[in-house]
């Protein structure tokens, strides 16, 4: 890093920064702080990074609702300008909840962001995510298409991290993900406990990679755990708006996917939908290794009318 100028004309080392990119999960939703705003796993992790406590400055660029493409186009340039030592790329859940979902766009955005930050010398953190259909408790015909999409995103995230030698957390496989107390009232964002467990997961992954870390983030809670009454209040206020927004964007296509799911299920051929989703994820990864060939395959798929809502 280039040393910064002091007021007296001298120089001192530039601050060691951890820049967090992503969506509401990284913004900290579910872990409120007194006076308003959010803390979240990134802030909890930042305090444990580096050679000494508090030696790493956190810049959180994550924004609620962000898609993978928005991360690459808007957050990435700002992150690179800060010259981070650590950076996190946790995104993709919102993509699975959009009608225009296309795994190749997610793969391209993540690969561009991870590749650029890694080339700049940053240690890049990524994570696999649990599928939103299961977290929301949707019925199987609705949940399975979303689970398929989330599996495709996780396949891509894992492969991109390996490609650029990042630090990857298999979050979706952690036992605490299935515990209700780890999730906030909306069932999509971690509670304070969940954010602390997520920070500890990344801390352990960094330590296993031989990177300097301090003591792991504590599990002692600052605030009360989520309650049933809190869930009712959230649904009566912010939750209703969230559901309405998602219904406008996703529901028509998701209902079509549900009908397809039922049709294939009755025919005993649901595995064909799984295989198609797996092939799409592998094709997206192949396009990263062979950009020219990937563009040709994408053009051919568009010509054949490949649906971006494919389960």
């Amino acid at each position: 890093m280039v040393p910064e100028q002091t007021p007296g004309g001298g120089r001192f080392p530039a601050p060691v920064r951890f820049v967090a990119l992503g969506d509401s999960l990284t913004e900290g939703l579910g872990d409120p702080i007194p006076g308003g705003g959010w803390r979240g796993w990134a802030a909890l992790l930042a305090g444990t990074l580096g050679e000494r406590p508090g030696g790493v400055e956190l810049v959180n660029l994550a924004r609620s609702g962000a898609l993978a493409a928005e991360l690459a186009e808007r957050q990435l340039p700002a992150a690179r300008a800060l010259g981070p030592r650590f950076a996190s790329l946790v995104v993709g859940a919102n993509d699975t909840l959009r009608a225009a979902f296309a795994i190749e766009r997610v793969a391209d955005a993540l690969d561009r962001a991870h590749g650029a930050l890694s080339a700049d010398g940053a240690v890049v953190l990524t994570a696999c995510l649990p599928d939103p259909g299961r977290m929301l408790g949707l019925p199987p015909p609705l949940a399975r298409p979303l689970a398929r999409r989330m599996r495709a995103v996780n396949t891509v995230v894992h492969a991109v991290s390996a490609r650029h030698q990042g630090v990857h957390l298999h979050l979706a496989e952690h036992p605490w993900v299935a515990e209700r107390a780890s999730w906030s009232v909306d069932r999509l964002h971690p509670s304070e406990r969940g954010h602390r467990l997520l920070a500890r997961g990344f801390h352990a992954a960094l330590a296993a990679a031989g990177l300097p870390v301090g003591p792991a983030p504590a599990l002692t809670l600052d605030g009360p755990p989520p309650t049933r009454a809190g869930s009712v209040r959230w649904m009566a206020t912010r939750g209703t708006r969230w559901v309405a927004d998602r219904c406008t964007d996703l529901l028509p296509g998701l209902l079509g996917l549900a009908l397809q799911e039922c049709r294939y299920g009755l025919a005993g051929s649901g595995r064909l939908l799984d295989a198609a989703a797996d092939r799409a994820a592998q094709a997206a990864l192949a396009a990263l290794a062979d950009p020219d060939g990937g563009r040709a395959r994408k053009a051919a798929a568009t010509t054949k009318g490949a649906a971006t809502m494919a389960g």
Side-chain angles (χ1 to χ4, degrees):
M1 292 185 181
V2 178
E4 297 184 352
Q5 195 80 22
T6 67
R11 290 184 176 274
F12 58 86
V16 178
R17 294 190 177 101
F18 169 28
V19 179
L21 299 84
D23 54 28
S24 55
L25 175 69
T26 300
E27 189 179 14
L29 266 69
D31 185 20
I33 55 177
W38 309 102
R39 176 179 51 186
W41 69 266
L44 293 165
L45 177 64
T48 72
L49 297 178
E51 303 286 352
R52 56 184 176 80
V56 175
E57 172 192 345
L58 172 67
V59 180
N60 196 334
L61 300 176
R63 292 294 178 266
S64 181
L67 304 176
E70 294 170 7
L71 179 152
E73 292 163 9
R74 301 176 188 176
Q75 297 178 24
L76 178 61
R80 297 187 71 187
L82 292 167
R85 175 71 180 99
F86 301 92
S88 62
L89 300 173
V90 182
V91 73
N94 286 316
D95 290 86
T96 69
L97 295 170
R98 296 300 190 271
F101 174 76
I103 190 59
E104 65 271 16
R105 286 202 297 268
V106 175
D108 178 70
L110 286 171
D111 187 63
R112 281 190 287 129
H114 205 316
L117 290 165
S118 297
D120 290 345
V123 175
V124 180
L125 307 175
T126 60
C128 290
L129 300 173
D131 75 84
R134 186 182 71 172
M135 303 309 301
L136 288 169
L138 297 178
L142 295 174
R144 279 195 290 265
L146 293 180
R148 221 173 267 125
R149 291 177 170 193
M150 196 73 253
R151 187 172 67 247
V153 170
N154 285 341
T155 296
V156 163
V157 172
H158 191 185
V160 167
S161 179
R163 171 182 167 93
H164 297 291
Q165 299 182 328
V167 176
H168 183 71
L169 176 63
H170 294 278
L171 174 62
E173 299 175 5
H174 277 241
W176 64 262
V177 169
E179 298 170 1
R180 181 66 186 91
S182 299
W183 297 93
S184 65
V185 294
D186 65 9
R187 294 179 178 265
L188 279 176
H189 300 97
S191 61
E192 180 191 344
R193 178 176 184 269
H195 278 285
R196 288 184 176 277
L197 287 165
L198 180 50
R200 286 171 69 93
F202 275 123
H203 179 277
L206 287 165
L211 294 160
V213 291
L219 282 178
T220 305
L221 303 184
D222 297 331
T227 64
R228 184 177 297 275
S231 298
V232 172
R233 283 196 302 272
W234 180 84
M235 183 54 70
T237 55
R238 296 180 61 189
T240 302
R241 174 62 183 274
W242 186 91
V243 171
D245 288 345
R246 293 289 73 75
C247 285
T248 300
D249 177 63
L250 176 66
L251 190 56
L254 188 56
L255 290 176
L257 287 179
L259 290 174
Q260 176 180 255
E261 196 75 38
C262 292
R263 188 167 64 250
Y264 274 72
L266 290 172
S269 54
R271 65 186 183 282
L272 298 179
L273 295 175
D274 294 334
D278 291 342
R279 284 197 303 272
Q282 293 304 319
L285 291 173
L288 300 181
D290 179 17
D292 292 332
R295 281 191 287 270
R297 284 188 292 271
K298 184 177 179 181
T302 302
T303 302
K304 294 177 181 178
T308 57
M309 283 290 293

